[in-house]
Amino acid sequence: MNTGRPIDHIVLAVHDLDAAAAVYEGLGFTLTPRATHEDRMGTSNRIAQFAGKNFIEILEVDRPDKLAPHDFAKEPPFFSFGGQSKALLEDREGISMLVFAGEDAHADAARFSATGVPTYEVFDFDRKARLPGGDEVTVSFSLTFATSPDMPEIAFFVCQNRAPQYFWKPEFQQHENGAEVISAVYIASPDPARDAAFVSSMFDGEVTDIDGGKAVACGAGQEVRILTPEVILKRDPSLRLAPDSSPMFVGIALTSGEARATTPAAAACGIFIEWVEKS
């Protein structure tokens, strides 16, 4: 079995990007300047990049009247990037999508189709980005979405970065809190074995038993941890979870220079941040 695909980023959907950015800067993160997506996406973001080549995308749906909605009757079906976060924000802030790194979005779409993973039309887009020195450049991406009928409130996608030379910048990867890489993403699920099997099916990540659930390998040193709501609530009582809650993303583990107390979801826009000392 393969080790799975590395985590590229999480999409953290928030009501107010400026307010959320202030929260994350207060937690010691360096953020990129505000960037605006195409109208059909209806979103804008700021990003906390990490030296380990993944990142937190803080996302606001700031043009909900302009975004293109889901169209599952289309062939192939169309998945709405902005629509997924908009739906989540009707209930709460938090992670709407987990993203894996990819080099060929179309090949990943074919892989999903061949293995029975529900997938959608490949989504290509460009946006403007501002470099640390102030210059404006165009960055480009191709996205391949995947969903599970057993996890209706969350989604996954593969991100092919078609202009990495303009995206990854060391100046944006220096954080006062010492964050270096997202090493784990947490899902609360009433059926960890079922949902771990789906996550594994996307990229053949090895599934192992952990206390309270399952872990799925996502490249070297990274994993998705799928735990029961009861176990998750012991980590962060500020979360709103019931034993039979639909699966939802609830937190991340960040490897940093030193371990420290977990930042609860109530203080980090709907997700807990577990700080793990670099080994």
Side-chain angles (χ1 to χ4, degrees):
M1 178 175 282
N2 295 330
T3 60
R5 189 72 68 82
I7 295 167
D8 187 78
H9 68 281
I10 58 166
V11 179
L12 177 59
V14 299
H15 294 298
D16 184 324
L17 182 56
D18 292 338
V23 169
Y24 272 72
E25 288 173 336
L27 291 172
F29 292 97
T30 299
L31 302 180
T32 60
R34 187 182 186 112
T36 299
H37 293 128
E38 302 171 10
D39 279 350
R40 61 180 175 151
M41 299 171 76
T43 51
S44 295
N45 72 15
R46 295 187 70 180
I47 287 171
Q49 285 189 12
F50 304 119
K53 290 296 185 288
N54 57 26
F55 60 96
I56 298 170
E57 178 179 13
I58 307 173
L59 185 93
E60 177 186 354
V61 182
D62 55 355
R63 283 154 292 140
D65 55 324
K66 294 185 177 182
L67 66 83
H70 293 309
D71 186 353
F72 298 150
K74 186 179 178 182
E75 186 55 44
F78 175 78
F79 190 92
S80 173
F81 175 90
Q84 179 69 19
S85 292
K86 179 176 179 289
L88 177 72
L89 288 167
E90 290 173 0
D91 180 56
R92 59 184 176 84
E93 293 186 320
I95 299 171
S96 60
M97 293 175 280
L98 170 58
V99 190
F100 299 100
E103 297 182 355
D104 187 333
H106 290 272
D108 285 325
R111 172 191 175 92
F112 289 161
S113 295
T115 56
V117 173
T119 192
Y120 304 83
E121 177 183 358
V122 174
F123 187 88
D124 302 310
F125 75 96
D126 303 330
R127 69 166 173 83
K128 297 297 182 180
R130 194 163 298 281
L131 300 178
D135 292 339
E136 189 174 73
V137 295
T138 298
V139 291
S140 306
F141 307 90
S142 294
L143 315 180
T144 299
F145 295 94
T147 60
S148 164
D150 296 314
M151 295 187 277
E153 296 184 19
I154 65 177
F156 306 85
F157 67 88
V158 180
C159 181
Q160 177 188 352
N161 188 334
R162 293 184 280 113
Q165 72 275 20
Y166 294 136
F167 185 82
W168 298 106
K169 296 299 175 185
E171 296 92 331
F172 290 139
Q173 297 165 14
Q174 305 301 312
H175 303 280
E176 183 182 347
N177 58 33
E180 295 186 8
V181 68
I182 299 172
S183 51
V185 175
Y186 286 90
I187 297 175
S189 166
D191 192 340
R194 177 199 66 194
D195 297 333
F198 175 82
V199 175
S200 174
S201 72
M202 287 188 281
F203 300 112
D204 294 331
E206 182 180 4
V207 179
T208 56
D209 293 325
I210 57 175
D211 186 22
K214 302 285 185 177
V216 183
C218 299
Q222 299 176 14
E223 58 189 17
V224 175
R225 297 171 184 163
I226 307 172
L227 306 176
T228 64
E230 295 89 343
V231 172
I232 290 291
L233 285 171
K234 292 178 182 178
R235 291 174 178 265
D236 184 3
S238 77
L239 287 162
R240 194 180 72 207
L241 288 174
D244 58 350
S245 292
S246 178
M248 57 188 283
F249 297 115
V250 290
I252 61 174
L254 273 177
T255 298
S256 62
E258 61 181 2
R260 67 188 76 176
T262 296
T263 302
C269 302
I271 63 167
F272 67 76
I273 302 175
E274 180 180 271
W275 301 90
V276 182
E277 185 175 5
K278 182 178 181 180
S279 58

